[in-house]
Amino acid sequence: MMLGFRNTSLFKKTSRFYSIGKDYRLICGLEIHTQLNTENKLFSLSTNAPFKSLNTPNKHVSHFDASLPGTRPRLNYECVLGALKLASSLNCNINLNSHFDRKHYFYGDQPQGYQLTQHYSPIATEGYMTLHNDIDNIDTPTKIINIIQLQIEQDTGMSHYDDYEKTTMIDLNRSNVPLIELVTKPDFTTVPQVIAFIKKYQNLVRNLDISTGNLETGAIRVDVNISVDTYPRVELKNLPNTSSISNAIKYEYMRQVNIIKDGKASKMLNCQETRGWNGKETVKLRSKETTIDYRYMPDPELGCVALDPSILVDIKRSLPISSDNEIRNLMGEPYNLTVKNAKLLCMHNEKNEQYTNEEVKNYYLSSFDLFEKTNPKLSPKDRKIVANWVINELLGNLNKLELTLHKVEQLFPPKKFIEFIQLLKGGIISNTGGKTLLFHILESIKNNTIQENLNIPELVKLLKIEVQSSIKEDELLSQCKAIIEKVNNNDPKLIEGIISGKKRNSLNYLVGIAMKETRGRVKATEYQRLFKCVLKVE
């Protein structure tokens, strides 16, 4: 059964019906506009802060941004530097003599009557990005996405519509903000490839520190060109996030497939058109017949952007290590991280205010190096202890307590963290006791009640979490029996499932209760043995 595009109520079930088959080939290309986070705008000295001043319209607007008569553009070379970094990272051919053109059209938020862009001679062409199955979660071992060009251009202002007052208000804070437009070839054949490319591109611009890379704020805006087989392409606009991009592609693919199946392709897919996305379906905005003639012409007020070839060598040397290489380094010796954990340390996460990936990565690497120096002969299992406690426990508690890693590092640096890890490795405290101790330390840091010279062994004694071998087995057996009786009264099926073998993993639930009662002073393995003995299971 195929999804009928006319019935939008079925859209929520898109993932159930959507599939790309060999009979109808998906062909996709992207156009990505990226706002650069330079201090000033592209052709003026106005502050480049389009979203920091949303409550104060037209605050960062120069005479040129407002296109007052007699004003002239002056190129901000910091924008050129950002474009060169991106072009070099994407393996592009860099144009040593690029220039700007005028793209003519009139709209209220574009007061010049034209946009300055690089239509005829862009700053870079013919690049590529490689996607990998193990890192990017695509359906082929590798996928090369070819890039047609990168060009520098100015952003427009913003129009704010008031339907009640029937007025349009113009905010020029965004006018003349520097953009890089990236255009790919139509190399995408699946939705996961598109999403993987966008996420990798976002991480790249953040890693280069040339953009925030946020889709939600418009720092990155993505248009998708999509067609089925050899039919004319449809351009999809107004796609605010990766979820919308994914759903819009799926919907538009099925819409076109249904048109072809109905035998109406020659009538309904005979020309290029632009469609928008309203959250449920794609809607027609305009067709090729109504496309504006932009009348491109070289800008007479801006000279050629002439680059010395030596700058390309300097740019290449200044680039940070690629995320792919970083991830593979962390997955290899001596760290042996999972791809998930390696990506967490290397991929930027703009949504978290407690820490950056760079802070976490540095904390982990410093801790690991200290751990390895203290323990020269670490087993593969031991090597994972630091990552597990940094990523799963430390970060989880930072989020829970709304505490920044920067503040934690001042009072609980890697040296102290490894002192804590050694207690776990040596069996002095259990995992349960370790969680109690770590949370206590972090909570004390948040409340500013922690001692400056943190004495971890004293805290272990104070919290009474040290693993003890002096507790008699009879006492532990009585404890286990009491727990089993209590759980059986509330949930007899759980105990029955453990005995029958159907819920064997539920034994850990009983162990957890016992560990909590003794605050981790008894090893989990000992409780597992005793519970099995009482319940007479293997």
Side-chain angles (χ1 to χ4, degrees):
M1 179 180 178
M2 302 296 284
L3 175 64
F5 67 89
R6 297 181 188 86
N7 189 349
T8 57
S9 65
L10 288 177
F11 177 72
K12 291 182 179 178
K13 299 179 181 178
T14 295
S15 59
R16 178 181 167 190
F17 294 97
Y18 159 79
S19 65
I20 294 177
K22 60 182 179 180
D23 295 334
Y24 301 98
R25 188 163 58 102
L26 171 68
I27 302 171
C28 244
L30 300 179
E31 296 175 20
I32 303 178
H33 291 82
T34 306
Q35 287 184 341
L36 300 182
N37 57 2
T38 54
E39 185 176 348
N40 302 112
K41 292 186 179 181
L42 181 55
F43 296 116
S44 75
L45 294 176
S46 300
T47 301
N48 178 16
F51 295 103
K52 290 180 181 178
S53 55
L54 286 176
N55 295 327
T56 314
N58 298 303
K59 180 179 181 180
H60 301 299
V61 182
S62 70
H63 293 162
F64 177 79
D65 302 333
S67 194
L68 296 184
T71 56
R72 300 179 63 185
R74 178 176 293 181
L75 179 61
N76 178 359
Y77 282 94
E78 188 185 355
C79 305
V80 177
L81 180 62
L84 292 175
K85 286 181 178 180
L86 182 59
S88 186
S89 297
L90 292 171
N91 313 291
C92 294
N93 294 330
I94 294 174
N95 185 357
L96 297 178
N97 293 283
S98 62
H99 65 76
F100 288 90
D101 309 296
R102 292 183 178 182
K103 176 182 179 181
H104 292 85
Y105 68 95
F106 177 78
Y107 204 74
D109 54 23
Q110 181 62 42
Q112 288 173 297
Y114 59 84
Q115 179 191 30
L116 287 168
T117 183
Q118 292 186 313
H119 180 68
Y120 292 116
S121 185
I123 196 163
T125 56
E126 298 180 337
Y128 66 89
M129 178 189 283
T130 305
L131 305 177
H132 303 276
N133 170 262
D134 57 343
I135 293 176
D136 303 303
N137 197 29
I138 59 171
D139 48 4
T140 56
T142 60
K143 177 72 176 181
I144 294 176
I145 305 299
N146 292 286
I147 295 163
I148 298 173
Q149 67 185 51
L150 264 69
Q151 61 194 48
I152 304 171
E153 61 187 28
Q154 60 181 174
D155 209 342
T156 64
M158 297 179 71
S159 298
H160 298 275
Y161 305 102
D162 189 324
D163 292 333
Y164 181 76
E165 296 287 344
K166 298 191 181 302
T167 57
T168 300
M169 294 172 286
I170 303 297
D171 178 9
L172 294 179
N173 278 333
R174 200 178 72 176
S175 175
N176 197 33
V177 164
L179 293 177
I180 294 177
E181 181 180 7
L182 176 150
V183 182
T184 77
K185 287 187 176 181
D187 289 338
F188 300 97
T189 55
T190 68
V191 174
Q193 291 171 7
V194 174
I195 302 305
F197 182 92
I198 293 170
K199 288 184 176 179
K200 199 160 194 168
Y201 179 78
Q202 284 180 289
N203 191 66
L204 174 60
V205 297
R206 290 167 183 155
N207 204 28
L208 295 173
D209 195 25
I210 62 172
S211 174
T212 64
N214 298 343
L215 280 161
E216 288 76 10
T217 62
I220 285 183
R221 303 194 289 276
V222 180
D223 296 336
V224 179
N225 295 314
I226 173 174
S227 60
V228 175
D229 295 337
T230 58
Y231 291 98
R233 68 180 173 86
V234 169
E235 183 181 26
L236 301 180
K237 286 185 173 291
N238 306 326
L239 305 171
N241 49 51
T242 52
S243 176
S244 295
I245 292 167
S246 175
N247 289 332
I249 293 173
K250 292 175 183 179
Y251 184 93
E252 181 59 24
Y253 172 80
M254 295 307 302
R255 187 188 75 87
Q256 293 187 35
V257 166
N258 276 286
I259 289 173
I260 296 169
K261 283 191 164 189
D262 290 346
K264 299 178 180 179
S266 59
K267 181 180 179 182
M268 299 180 68
L269 296 176
N270 62 347
C271 67
Q272 295 179 15
E273 67 176 8
T274 299
R275 299 179 72 87
W277 174 248
N278 64 13
K280 293 183 179 180
E281 60 183 346
T282 62
V283 291
K284 185 174 179 177
L285 300 178
R286 59 181 178 269
S287 62
K288 186 178 181 181
E289 286 78 5
T290 58
T291 299
I292 301 169
D293 177 8
Y294 292 118
R295 295 175 291 116
Y296 288 100
M297 61 168 280
D299 186 86
E301 296 183 314
L302 286 164
C304 177
V305 182
L307 302 173
D308 189 294
S310 64
I311 195 174
L312 305 187
V313 178
D314 294 337
I315 291 288
K316 200 76 176 176
R317 286 174 180 167
S318 72
L319 296 178
I321 183 173
S322 74
S323 292
D324 282 359
N325 288 339
E326 271 197 311
I327 290 168
R328 294 203 186 283
N329 288 343
L330 291 172
M331 290 170 65
E333 295 289 342
Y335 310 105
N336 299 316
L337 294 185
T338 62
V339 64
K340 179 182 177 182
N341 285 344
K343 286 178 72 172
L344 188 146
L345 296 180
C346 298
M347 304 294 277
H348 290 262
N349 181 3
E350 77 283 3
K351 295 179 181 179
N352 200 298
E353 297 178 358
Q354 273 63 59
Y355 48 83
T356 66
N357 75 301
E358 195 69 24
E359 288 175 330
V360 178
K361 182 175 64 180
N362 291 338
Y363 192 91
Y364 163 73
L365 291 175
S366 298
S367 300
F368 185 90
D369 289 344
L370 286 170
F371 190 53
E372 196 173 42
K373 286 176 184 176
T374 313
N375 306 275
K377 296 181 180 180
L378 287 172
S379 68
K381 183 180 179 180
D382 287 337
R383 291 178 188 277
K384 295 179 181 180
I385 293 176
V386 177
N388 288 339
W389 279 87
V390 169
I391 294 171
N392 297 325
E393 300 301 332
L394 177 62
L395 297 190
N397 284 326
L398 292 183
N399 291 330
K400 189 183 297 182
L401 294 168
E402 296 183 348
L403 181 63
T404 64
L405 182 57
H406 177 71
K407 183 175 181 179
V408 168
E409 198 166 3
Q410 295 173 347
L411 294 168
F412 192 50
K415 183 179 179 180
K416 286 290 180 184
F417 181 74
I418 290 307
E419 190 179 332
F420 160 76
I421 293 292
Q422 292 286 26
L423 297 178
L424 290 162
K425 181 179 180 297
I428 295 172
I429 58 175
S430 65
N431 281 351
T432 302
K435 291 177 182 180
T436 301
L437 176 59
L438 181 61
F439 187 82
H440 176 84
I441 291 171
L442 297 177
E443 191 175 37
S444 299
I445 292 173
K446 180 179 180 178
N447 297 332
N448 298 314
T449 58
I450 196 166
Q451 296 177 356
E452 198 164 320
N453 295 316
L454 179 62
N455 191 319
I456 293 178
E458 278 189 11
L459 270 179
V460 170
K461 292 178 181 178
L462 182 67
L463 295 172
K464 298 179 180 179
I465 55 174
E466 189 172 6
V467 172
Q468 296 184 14
S469 57
S470 58
I471 302 177
K472 294 180 180 180
E473 187 168 309
D474 289 347
E475 293 178 23
L476 296 178
L477 276 170
S478 297
Q479 181 195 12
C480 291
K481 290 175 181 177
I483 290 171
I484 291 170
E485 184 178 353
K486 185 176 179 180
V487 171
N488 190 52
N489 290 334
N490 295 325
D491 188 2
K493 290 185 178 180
L494 188 143
I495 301 299
E496 289 174 12
I498 295 174
I499 295 172
S500 66
K502 292 180 180 179
K503 293 183 178 181
R504 189 62 53 85
N505 289 336
S506 295
L507 188 70
N508 294 329
Y509 173 69
L510 303 180
V511 173
I513 295 173
M515 293 284 286
K516 189 174 181 181
E517 287 183 0
T518 55
R519 307 191 74 176
R521 286 178 293 159
V522 179
K523 292 181 179 179
T525 52
E526 180 67 9
Y527 274 126
Q528 285 176 343
R529 181 183 70 81
L530 293 171
F531 275 117
K532 287 179 179 179
C533 179
V534 174
L535 295 172
K536 297 180 181 179
V537 296
E538 292 296 325

